[in-house]
Amino acid sequence: MTWAETPKWVVPHPNAEDREFWEGARRGELRIQRCSTCGLHQHYPRYLCSHCGADTVAFVTASGNGTVYSFTVIRQNGVPPFNERVPFVIATVDLDEPGARILAAMPTLDPSAARIGMRVQATFRPANDELGFVDFESAE
Amino acid sequence: MGRNVCVVGVGLSDGPVTPDLSPSQLIAQSFRRALDDAGLATRDIEGLASAGYGGMHEVAVAEYLGLQPHWLDSTSCGGSSFEFHAHHAFRAIEAGDVDTIAIVYGNNQLSASGRTLGTGGGGGRGGMQPPGPMKYEFPTGMTLVGAYAMAAQRHMHEFGTTAEQLASISVQTREHAHRNAGAMYRDLITVDDVLSSRLVADPLHKLDCCVISDGGCAIILTTEERARALAHRPVFVRGGAGGTTHHSIQAMGDMTHTAAAVSGPKAFAEAGIRPSDVDVFCAYDSFTYTVLVTLEDLGFVPKGEGGPFVADGSLRLGGALPTNPDGGGLSNTHPGMRGLYLLCEATRQLRGDAGDSQVEGAEIAVCNGSGGWLSTQGTVVLGTEPR
């Protein structure tokens, strides 16, 4: 099964707190939270700011630009459909919005081209009609 | 300071492959052996700690073992749970809340689920979405091995650590397993063997990963006063501490530092020791990187210098810091969670009962459990003498 297809067991189960993240990805927006008290950002959605503890977080749309903090190449994953997609790159990306890091797949990146520090940008992939996933691709 | 606390009994189940024993039976078998080792009876056990995989796990274990304990600890933070249990038990006995506590674990990980732990999703079966923050990582295709691999990759980037250096941890641990007749894998291996084993998640190869086995383990702690009346030379708990920095790997701010950088110094200070005093290191070795990063965080070697340190043969018997003389999780046994085995091996070493695996003259041992995705760290210092 390719990256374009999402089996139903991989479709997220959104809750009231994170639905905006998944629906944003379906619309082509990377939705993260910004804290108006400390000015820092976070992914994934939470009630309190994980940096300063304030309850003053609200969704903003991130630029989608970031830098790879680290990565791995997944060469073994026993769960369908991932077992049919290996090898693929997974990266932790520090977003340009301070404080926010997101782990995401980089389906179009040649594993041999992955490196720490590479500039990347978000891309979006539908999970179903309402929800989507955030991926990244090289911006270099 | 309250009463001194000792480990007086240790028990290992049959293993590492026991298709005919359930998790409960593995617990019971190792518990029985720990009681016999200590010279104690079931009625002597007043407190119970365990970590498992279901709700009220430790209560079900108590019933299965015929215990009605009045002290319970169900701290469940992955592989390090048992260092947390030992620390809490130490504190409870020290304070006089309870005299005698058993810590138990058992799982038929291999026979029930095969080699799925690490790359097979939550339970090795598709269709189950993981709880908590893992829900954001699961749809990417991330794996447990991948999380450790990502942290190792960052360490290599920042400090120049090499795949060869990581591989040397597996090589030395296999030398230990070679001397252990009960170990799962005993044939000697080379750095090239590790590097030519297939990559599971870059930069970690198959032989950078722990084994998956079945097994149960139990230890019993009590007061020094009671310990003095029992069969074995008492092994003293000298200090302990734990900590956590994150759950999912995307929330691990600095992937080259774990909570052991906090729990280690706290435990060492309580124990009145320095890293240079340690004779045996029982390290959680879920992956080679787990050993490398915790060696640094505990202060055995400065941050970033773990690679050259391990490549120098430091982990061997007779090396600078003999590590996992039983063959560790990398070669001996790892039934889902391994933290309790560290305490068992440290006790064996400090008693001088380790046979061919004995670290000569061992007086101080450090156990460091790691749980989750380098998420939780628990450090316990044991010694042949009290603080």
Side-chain angles (χ1 to χ4, degrees):
Chain A
M1 191 173 280
T2 68
W3 288 90
E5 302 168 85
T6 302
K8 66 179 183 217
W9 62 85
V10 180
V11 174
H13 301 176
N15 57 38
E17 186 165 55
D18 65 20
R19 177 173 291 279
E20 177 61 20
F21 170 72
W22 304 109
E23 291 186 351
R26 182 68 182 86
R27 297 192 303 269
E29 297 176 27
L30 172 49
R31 299 286 277 169
I32 60 174
Q33 288 176 323
R34 180 182 182 278
C35 173
S36 60
T37 300
C38 72
L40 294 176
H41 302 77
Q42 66 186 7
H43 165 76
Y44 49 92
R46 276 159 276 187
Y47 190 83
L48 301 177
C49 172
S50 56
H51 303 288
C52 78
D55 60 353
T56 54
V57 293
F59 278 103
V60 296
T61 300
S63 65
N65 299 318
T67 305
V68 171
Y69 173 79
S70 195
F71 70 94
T72 185
V73 183
I74 300 293
R75 298 183 189 271
Q76 181 178 331
N77 184 326
V79 177
F82 308 114
N83 57 349
E84 298 169 18
R85 295 175 181 172
V86 292
F88 55 87
V89 176
I90 300 275
T92 35
V93 176
D94 285 334
L95 300 180
D96 286 358
E97 291 75 16
R101 181 182 290 171
I102 183 170
L103 182 142
M106 298 190 67
T108 61
L109 184 68
D110 178 347
S112 65
R115 64 175 180 80
I116 288 172
M118 79 186 297
R119 291 288 293 164
V120 295
Q121 65 192 29
T123 61
F124 301 94
R125 176 164 53 92
N128 61 19
D129 289 346
E130 297 175 6
L131 311 172
F133 299 119
V134 178
D135 297 327
F136 279 81
E137 65 181 16
S138 173
E140 296 179 346
Chain B
M1 193 181 296
R3 308 184 294 179
N4 287 325
V5 179
C6 301
V7 181
V8 293
V10 295
L12 294 176
S13 75
D14 293 348
V17 184
T18 56
D20 298 328
L21 292 174
S22 70
S24 296
Q25 289 175 305
L26 289 163
I27 289 172
Q29 190 181 59
S30 53
F31 175 65
R32 183 66 249 167
R33 290 173 182 174
L35 285 172
D36 291 343
D37 180 59
L40 292 171
T42 296
R43 66 176 177 277
D44 295 315
I45 304 301
E46 304 166 294
L48 180 71
S50 191
Y53 302 92
M56 292 182 69
H57 162 81
E58 76 292 353
V59 183
V61 169
E63 178 180 298
Y64 187 86
L65 297 177
L67 297 172
Q68 295 184 318
H70 55 86
W71 182 93
L72 282 176
D73 185 4
S74 57
T75 302
S76 184
C77 52
S80 65
S81 301
F82 311 91
E83 279 67 35
F84 282 72
H85 295 158
H87 175 215
H88 299 165
F90 166 49
R91 204 61 79 216
I93 295 169
E94 178 187 54
D97 289 352
V98 62
D99 285 346
T100 306
I101 291 172
I103 310 175
V104 300
Y105 176 72
N107 194 13
N108 57 349
Q109 182 79 39
L110 176 63
S111 294
S113 303
R115 290 181 169 81
T116 56
L117 184 66
T119 58
R125 293 166 285 275
M128 284 168 45
Q129 292 215 358
M134 298 307 293
K135 76 184 280 189
Y136 306 103
E137 299 191 353
F138 165 73
T140 67
M142 187 57 162
T143 64
L144 186 157
V145 182
Y148 286 83
M150 203 173 261
Q153 189 89 261
R154 184 71 198 184
H155 197 281
M156 295 166 91
H157 173 77
E158 289 196 22
F159 303 112
T161 305
T162 66
E164 287 79 4
Q165 291 167 346
L166 288 171
S168 76
I169 296 171
S170 282
V171 170
Q172 293 167 75
T173 307
R174 183 62 64 86
E175 289 175 16
H176 294 314
H178 185 67
R179 285 185 290 268
N180 177 358
M184 194 160 186
Y185 296 105
R186 300 183 61 205
D187 292 342
L188 294 173
I189 55 174
T190 65
V191 166
D192 283 346
D193 290 334
V194 179
L195 298 184
S196 61
S197 65
R198 66 189 158 77
L199 281 162
V200 177
D202 302 15
L204 298 181
H205 304 79
K206 179 184 175 189
L207 292 179
D208 285 300
C209 305
C210 68
V211 308
I212 294 176
S213 71
D214 303 322
C217 186
I219 72 169
I220 297 169
L221 299 94
T222 192
T223 62
E224 178 182 7
E225 183 184 357
R226 294 203 73 182
R228 293 287 181 200
L230 297 174
H232 290 285
R233 174 182 178 180
V235 168
F236 292 85
V237 183
R238 294 180 57 125
T244 179
T245 46
H246 62 283
H247 183 264
S248 53
I249 196 72
Q250 70 181 352
M252 185 174 188
D254 176 352
M255 292 187 187
T256 68
H257 287 79
T258 73
V262 174
S263 64
K266 280 182 71 176
F268 288 14
E270 180 176 29
I273 64 157
R274 293 167 301 175
S276 58
D277 296 324
V278 177
D279 302 306
V280 189
F281 180 35
C282 292
Y284 206 104
D285 57 346
S286 43
F287 301 94
T288 48
Y289 179 67
T290 319
V291 178
L292 187 91
V293 71
T294 54
L295 275 170
E296 294 177 348
D297 287 339
L298 293 170
F300 292 121
V301 60
K303 181 55 66 181
E305 297 179 20
F309 179 77
V310 297
D312 198 32
S314 299
L315 313 185
R316 296 193 166 104
L317 295 186
L321 185 67
T323 297
N324 291 337
D326 66 336
L330 286 168
S331 288
N332 177 9
T333 193
H334 191 299
M337 294 192 278
R338 182 173 159 78
L340 196 49
Y341 288 80
L342 310 180
L343 295 155
C344 188
E345 174 63 8
T347 299
R348 205 171 69 112
Q349 289 286 338
L350 295 175
R351 283 178 178 175
D353 280 353
D356 291 346
S357 304
Q358 182 66 45
V359 176
E360 291 305 323
E363 294 179 349
I364 298 284
V366 166
C367 303
N368 190 78
S370 174
W373 301 263
L374 295 165
S375 318
T376 60
Q377 304 288 325
T379 311
V380 176
V381 180
L382 301 178
T384 53
E385 301 294 331
R387 289 171 286 175

